[in-house]
Amino acid sequence: MCGIVGYVGGASSSLDAKDVVVEGLARLEYRGYDSAGLALVLEGSGDGPGLHVDKKAGKLANLRAILDEAPPPTTRTGIGHTRWATHGAPTDANAHPHLGAHGRLALVHNGIIENYAVLREALEAEGHEMASETDTEIAAHLLERRLDAGDDLTTAMQQVCSQLEGAFTLVAVDSQDPDRVVAARRNSPLVVGLGEGENFLGSDVAAFIEHTREALELAQDQVVTLHPDRVEVTGFDGSPAEGTRYHVDWDLSAAQKDGYDWFMRKEIFEQPRALADSLLGRRGLDGKLQLDEMRLTDGELREIDRIVIIGCGTANYAGLVAKYAIEHWTRIPCEVELAHEFRYRDPILTRNTLVVAISQSGETADTLMAIRHAHLQRAKVLAICNTNGSTIPRESDAVIYTHAGPEIGVASTKGFLTQLMACYVLGLYLAQVRGTKFGDEIADVMAELEQMPRHVQTMLDKAEDVYKLAHAHEDSSTVLFLGRHAGFPVALEGALKLKELAYLHAEGFAAGELKHGPIALIDDGLPVFCVMPPRGRDQLHDKMLSAVQEIRARGARTLVLVEDGDEGVARYADEVVYLPKVPTLLQPLVAVVPLQLFACELATVLGHDVDQPRNLAKSVTVE
Ligand code: M6R
């Protein structure tokens, strides 16, 4: 939540800090879009030394309008922020940057400073006047006080961070020291972009991908100082430290819409490629599965006697699908739990428990706190993650990267499909190591998985039909989703997509649960998506078909997703979307695609901002 950008350029740099900051914010706006602001360090000429600060409630477009109307002078140093409000409403005054008491220092912040009330009281008692309701402003005052006392910004940041509790990324500039931008992080994301004669900061690499693909990952509780020609890292205690350098394996084009109206639609259509990439290099020359980033030994994996999968939102639904596959292939008991519920119920974990943390961003605070709790209980943690160098994989014992490329639309799509793929691969890998499946059985499933990009493409080729369906439901105020077995999480995911994008009442149910209550919701003309399991599992298929008949008899309008050739279902369906024939356990990969397309199109028709739905942010970095 919240996007942060920082830039410092040298004499040789041709970039204007304002442009770097605003373009960076545009690429990070998916992280929060309640307000936006920037601070530029002015250098002597024209307006004289000082800060140029603009900030405005609402989307980045509002800030851009101010900058267009009254363009600031060209500068070499700046910071910017796009906000998802926590403390204080999304107003101009609460927008970042915040200034110190005399306007010498500007600060932007992502996270929550938990002890801000005590600190604010103490500052106010000393006569400090606050201009906002934010927790951030107290840090600005504390920092500036240290600058006034003679510290440089780096030392001031080290000192102040030691006083703060909670989660924060802070980025600050001192108007009297234009060659320096200083940042700090604790439990909140921050990456350095390494340029030549200039350096960058961003909440993620998208902020500076246009300028450099060389990045520096920072650890917890570190302070980083950027000068045009160098980057220095220390701990909060001032001790020298080093970041981990890496090369970003995608470029600017991945962070652009490429002619699509929405990032989400682009990302839905990228799914065949994303799935193919997520499978690359998973099989060795001997045909056996290999997981490069698996840092747990075969011995450790053989001792696992229980798996707990944790995640939030869509990642949780990926876990629900994974449970069916992993238990079936490995016979290891597998539970799935919402990450934010996990640690508060004091779960029973041992050194033989494998906690699988699924997170596209790798920064979700609820999931991060859950894996820390798991570690305290001596469990092993494996992350399934899409974001290189993010906190969750860094703090895990092993990681499977999903290789989906950047996901910018707030609604997860390719993130979900590649999480499923990673879960399947993990299940098969465990089966291989533990010998619960023969090699040829594993190879057969892998061969099926390798066909999935083609099958997903088949679903995308039907997009226009799904769009028509969406248009026909423009006036619906409720849509239900039914599924069984691995189709149940698909129903949940279909409903989540519709809630978050179209702001409709949408619920997913296990079809078997209907008669225990939800069937009372069925009313004349109520649209209900029904995910039919493949016929291979006859009992499952027939039970689901009964559910379709039961709701139709009560007036529901049934929109049925069913595998090719399953013609018997058509007469109970008002609309049919045919799915390619795939094994039951893998069906979620194809069945969810029309539901993604439906939600994207319906939200578009309703005039909503699909990439930035109201009240949401891409990366939920506060608990
Ligand atoms: O980055 P994560 O996978 O940890 O994010 C988890 C959820 O916040 C995320 O899946 C959310 O539910 C999406 N908006 C769903 O589309």
Side-chain angles (χ1 to χ4, degrees):
M1 305 194 133
C2 302
I4 284 184
V5 182
Y7 173 72
V8 58
S12 61
S13 169
S14 57
L15 297 173
D16 180 357
K18 177 204 68 172
D19 296 337
V20 178
V21 170
V22 172
E23 287 314 311
L25 291 180
R27 298 200 200 297
L28 295 186
E29 203 183 7
Y30 68 93
R31 302 179 71 93
Y33 28 86
D34 289 339
S35 59
L38 55 62
L40 306 167
V41 182
L42 305 167
E43 281 180 77
S45 62
D47 295 355
L51 294 172
H52 177 100
V53 178
D54 279 318
K55 52 186 193 170
K56 193 74 192 153
K59 294 202 170 179
L60 181 62
N62 297 353
L63 175 67
R64 281 193 201 264
I66 297 180
L67 293 168
D68 288 347
E69 210 176 289
T74 302
T75 58
R76 297 185 295 116
T77 307
I79 58 176
H81 187 266
T82 174
R83 179 170 188 241
W84 188 87
T86 57
H87 292 62
T91 59
D92 292 354
N94 289 332
H96 298 215
H98 292 283
L99 305 181
H102 317 299
R104 169 177 172 181
L105 167 133
L107 174 73
V108 294
H109 166 219
N110 172 21
I112 293 178
I113 298 170
E114 285 168 1
N115 56 336
Y116 96 100
V118 182
L119 295 168
R120 182 172 178 134
E121 221 171 278
L123 282 167
E124 284 174 341
E126 284 176 35
H128 286 250
E129 282 178 24
M130 301 291 158
S132 78
E133 302 155 89
T134 64
D135 50 344
T136 309
E137 197 180 359
I138 58 108
H141 281 238
L142 291 171
L143 281 167
E144 194 179 89
R145 192 170 61 176
R146 297 212 70 98
L147 295 180
D148 290 344
D151 281 349
D152 64 25
L153 186 53
T154 305
T155 314
M157 187 66 90
Q158 290 158 351
Q159 300 286 335
V160 168
C161 284
S162 310
Q163 282 177 266
L164 304 180
E165 290 167 15
F168 48 84
T169 299
L170 300 171
V171 182
V173 284
D174 173 3
S175 56
Q176 296 181 19
D177 191 356
D179 277 342
R180 184 192 300 252
V181 175
V182 178
R185 77 168 289 240
R186 168 181 285 169
N187 293 334
S188 192
L190 182 68
V191 199
V192 179
L194 301 166
E196 286 186 11
E198 57 190 356
N199 289 300
F200 306 81
L201 282 164
S203 299
D204 65 49
V205 293
F208 49 73
I209 194 72
E210 192 173 348
H211 306 292
T212 178
R213 290 168 69 182
E214 297 307 310
L216 195 71
E217 181 185 316
L218 299 170
Q220 292 298 349
D221 289 6
Q222 289 191 333
V223 169
V224 63
T225 304
L226 266 60
H227 299 283
D229 58 345
R230 63 189 193 284
V231 169
E232 288 151 4
V233 183
T234 69
F236 284 179
D237 59 0
S239 58
E242 277 183 19
T244 313
R245 196 178 170 131
Y246 65 100
H247 180 74
V248 183
D249 58 9
W250 49 272
D251 61 15
L252 180 62
S253 64
Q256 289 174 327
K257 284 194 211 154
D258 249 358
Y260 285 90
D261 52 349
W262 305 114
F263 277 109
M264 181 194 182
R265 206 185 303 272
K266 175 187 176 221
E267 287 157 7
I268 293 173
F269 279 87
E270 279 174 352
Q271 291 181 122
R273 187 207 44 77
L275 285 176
D277 287 355
S278 72
L279 278 175
L280 279 180
R282 300 296 190 203
R283 286 216 258 185
L285 289 175
D286 56 1
K288 282 193 160 185
L289 280 175
Q290 56 181 27
L291 295 179
D292 289 348
E293 310 106 339
M294 172 61 73
R295 299 186 289 255
L296 294 169
T297 65
D298 286 2
E300 285 172 316
L301 292 177
R302 281 192 204 102
E303 278 171 16
I304 298 298
D305 57 16
R306 190 162 141 253
I307 296 176
V308 184
I309 306 181
I310 54 171
C312 302
T314 291
N316 171 247
Y317 300 150
L320 290 175
V321 174
K323 173 183 164 72
Y324 291 96
I326 294 177
E327 283 193 340
H328 183 67
W329 293 332
T330 68
R331 311 311 297 158
I332 307 172
C334 184
E335 296 158 36
V336 186
E337 184 145 4
L338 289 163
H340 37 86
E341 289 295 316
F342 178 72
R343 70 177 167 138
Y344 297 105
R345 71 173 174 87
D346 194 11
I348 301 164
L349 305 170
T350 71
R351 61 176 73 248
N352 292 335
T353 309
L354 178 66
V355 171
V356 177
I358 306 181
S359 174
Q360 188 283 131
S361 61
E363 298 292 350
T364 298
D366 294 311
T367 312
L368 179 61
M369 294 307 158
I371 69 169
R372 287 188 182 158
H373 183 80
H375 268 144
L376 283 177
Q377 309 289 312
R378 297 176 306 163
K380 299 186 174 59
V381 177
L382 180 144
I384 290 182
C385 183
N386 191 37
T387 312
N388 222 308
S390 56
T391 311
I392 290 172
R394 228 188 18 245
E395 294 199 11
S396 298
D397 302 302
V399 54
I400 301 181
Y401 281 111
T402 51
H403 302 295
E407 189 179 67
I408 293 170
V410 164
S412 188
T413 53
K414 63 177 180 172
F416 179 61
L417 257 63
T418 54
Q419 283 164 356
L420 290 180
M421 194 59 107
C423 289
Y424 292 133
V425 169
L426 172 64
L428 293 173
Y429 187 77
L430 289 171
Q432 173 180 287
V433 169
R434 298 162 68 98
T436 50
K437 284 269 167 220
F438 291 116
D440 57 338
E441 293 172 317
I442 293 171
D444 286 349
V445 185
M446 280 304 289
E448 295 278 6
L449 287 176
E450 282 157 5
Q451 292 305 313
M452 295 317 286
R454 185 170 62 80
H455 292 317
V456 168
Q457 186 58 52
T458 307
M459 295 315 300
L460 295 174
D461 294 342
K462 299 178 185 191
E464 288 303 326
D465 297 340
V466 179
Y467 294 160
K468 279 188 201 140
L469 209 57
H471 292 220
H473 289 84
E474 204 178 332
D475 297 325
S476 304
S477 54
T478 299
V479 182
L480 301 186
F481 295 75
L482 289 185
R484 277 194 94 105
H485 190 261
F488 170 41
V490 174
L492 295 172
E493 174 64 1
L496 177 60
K497 293 284 94 95
L498 214 50
K499 279 179 222 178
E500 66 181 332
L501 300 176
Y503 318 148
L504 290 186
H505 172 229
E507 297 279 350
F509 295 109
E513 194 63 11
L514 263 185
K515 293 196 270 296
H516 302 283
I519 199 162
L521 290 171
I522 305 294
D523 206 353
D524 255 359
L526 181 82
V528 185
F529 275 98
C530 306
V531 186
M532 285 295 299
R535 278 166 303 176
R537 302 282 176 91
D538 284 341
Q539 278 203 344
L540 205 58
H541 177 272
D542 294 351
K543 292 276 184 314
M544 184 68 200
L545 187 55
S546 305
V548 175
Q549 289 172 265
E550 286 159 10
I551 56 168
R552 194 145 188 265
R554 287 163 178 81
R557 182 173 156 68
T558 54
L559 318 171
V560 184
L561 311 184
V562 61
E563 75 174 355
D564 277 334
D566 191 352
E567 302 301 342
V569 174
R571 69 187 132 117
Y572 305 110
D574 292 290
E575 300 284 350
V576 184
V577 178
Y578 284 103
L579 309 173
K581 273 178 189 281
V582 297
T584 305
L585 285 170
L586 310 190
Q587 198 197 41
L589 286 170
V590 289
V592 80
V593 176
L595 304 184
Q596 298 169 337
L597 290 166
F598 183 84
C600 181
E601 186 63 10
L602 187 51
T604 307
V605 173
L606 294 175
H608 299 320
D609 186 331
V610 168
D611 286 333
Q612 296 175 357
R614 68 183 180 202
N615 304 336
L616 291 173
K618 180 69 181 164
S619 191
V620 184
T621 53
V622 292
E623 275 187 279

